[in-house]
């Protein structure tokens, strides 16, 4: 298992995927769909992390992990149905795409909404996550072409916040 002390907190696999498929916040979904194995493998590895192992990590590693899982799961949601005009079309009148239980975390399937609001926002008093969690819709923050890492998290969140606030609407 790649959990616990052996988990790659540099998120090298997701980082390589982002560098290859994201340019100025735009995602090459066609390329990602054609070569989706790295995305699926990253999410499988992340999904194998146990709550017990996760709780031993420092706060920054925990938050970077959760942000990366959220962003990777959002990519996977879109790739699963690509091509689509909008992520919003993946929902229905009664259920948004963010409320579908598509994220495997700590042995359970949860929704992106649950990950964002009941785990990240509830347990980490970090307002800058608003600019790091990418909902893949117009008006949302852009996706960085690098994975978040605990050792660089403060600088990455500062940079992401500044980029969002200084980008013309």
């Amino acid at each position: 298992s790649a959990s616990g002390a052996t988990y790659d907190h540099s998120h090298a696999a997701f980082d390589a995927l982002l560098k290859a498929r994201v340019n100025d916040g735009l995602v090459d979904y066609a390329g990602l769909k054609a070569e989706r194995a790295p995305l699926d493998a990253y999410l499988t590895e992340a999904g194998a992390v146990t709550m017990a192992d996760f709780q031993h990590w420092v706060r920054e590693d925990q938050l970077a992990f959760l942000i990366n899982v959220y962003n990777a799961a959002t990519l996977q949601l879109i790739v699963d149905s690509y091509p689509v005009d909008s992520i919003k079309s993946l929902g229905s009148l009664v259920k948004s795409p963010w409320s579908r239980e598509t994220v495997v975390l700590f042995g359970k399937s949860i929704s992106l909404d649950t990950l964002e609001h009941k785990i990240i926002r509830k347990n980490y008093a970090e307002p800058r996550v608003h600019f790091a969690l990418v909902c893949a819709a117009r008006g949302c923050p852009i996706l960085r072409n690098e994975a978040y890492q605990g050792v660089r998290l403060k600088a990455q969140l500062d940079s992401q916040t500044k980029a969002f606030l200084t980008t013309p609407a």
Side-chain angles (χ1 to χ4, degrees):
S1 164
S3 60
T6 63
Y7 187 81
D8 175 16
H9 292 288
S10 76
H11 302 272
F14 190 47
D15 191 70
L17 178 149
L18 292 171
K19 283 180 175 29
R21 299 291 175 204
V22 179
N23 186 17
D24 291 329
L26 299 175
V27 179
D28 172 15
Y29 287 111
L32 191 54
K33 183 169 182 132
E35 295 178 23
R36 67 174 294 151
L39 176 62
D40 294 340
Y42 176 76
L43 284 167
T44 297
E45 181 181 341
V49 172
T50 67
M51 177 61 86
D53 288 331
F54 176 82
Q55 290 175 329
H56 288 340
W57 299 350
V58 297
R59 178 187 183 279
E60 292 79 9
D61 284 342
Q62 291 176 351
L63 186 53
F65 171 80
L66 295 171
I67 292 168
N68 288 329
V69 167
Y70 183 98
N71 290 340
T74 300
L75 292 174
Q76 188 178 56
L77 180 64
I78 294 168
V79 166
D80 284 347
S81 299
Y82 188 81
V84 295
D85 292 330
S86 167
I87 189 172
K88 293 176 184 176
S89 68
L90 300 178
S92 66
L93 288 174
V94 271
K95 196 168 199 169
S96 82
W98 299 279
S99 64
R100 294 172 49 195
E101 293 183 347
T102 58
V103 183
V104 176
L105 187 65
F106 310 130
K108 296 188 299 190
S109 289
I110 62 170
S111 69
L112 289 164
D113 277 342
T114 297
L115 178 53
E116 177 180 359
H117 299 290
K118 300 211 163 121
I119 297 174
I120 296 173
R121 291 189 187 278
K122 180 179 176 189
N123 298 313
Y124 302 87
E126 177 50 78
R128 296 172 298 176
V129 298
H130 174 77
F131 307 110
L133 299 174
V134 177
C135 71
R138 284 197 167 85
C140 287
I142 64 167
L143 183 62
R144 292 177 76 87
N145 73 339
E146 67 178 3
Y148 287 90
Q149 298 174 358
V151 295
R152 301 179 50 230
L153 187 61
K154 182 183 181 313
Q156 288 175 308
L157 291 174
D158 285 346
S159 168
Q160 190 71 5
T161 301
K162 182 178 178 183
F164 181 81
L165 294 175
T166 58
T167 300

